[in-house]
């Protein structure tokens, strides 16, 4: 069985950049499909901090 659906944007990676982009696009009415290869959320820190613009979007 095949399910057909239409998306405007496919984002691979649900890190800070991917989530920020997905939120920004969704606010503009663009349908987004977000793919993450990890089963669970990463428990540690991968960067020294978030950019101020990313924090504004979150």
């Amino acid at each position: 069985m095949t399910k057909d659906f239409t998306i405007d944007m496919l984002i691979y990676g649900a890190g800070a950049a991917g989530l920020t982009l997905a939120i920004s696009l969704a606010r503009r009415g663009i349908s987004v499909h977000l793919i993450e290869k990890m089963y669970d959320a990463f428990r540690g820190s991968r960067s020294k901090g978030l950019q101020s613009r990313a924090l504004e979007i979150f």
Side-chain angles (χ1 to χ4, degrees):
M1 185 165 79
T2 303
K3 293 183 179 180
D4 295 329
F5 59 93
T6 303
I7 58 171
D8 295 324
M9 181 67 65
L10 175 65
I11 300 172
Y12 180 78
L19 288 174
T20 303
L21 178 60
I23 292 168
S24 181
L25 291 171
R27 284 183 172 172
R28 290 167 173 77
I30 298 172
S31 63
V32 176
H33 190 82
L34 188 62
I35 296 175
E36 174 58 48
K37 69 178 179 177
M38 293 182 65
Y39 181 72
D40 288 330
F42 186 73
R43 301 286 181 207
S45 176
R46 292 188 177 152
S47 65
K48 294 181 180 179
L50 293 173
Q51 298 293 323
S52 59
R53 181 61 183 141
L55 292 173
E56 290 174 4
I57 292 172
F58 283 145

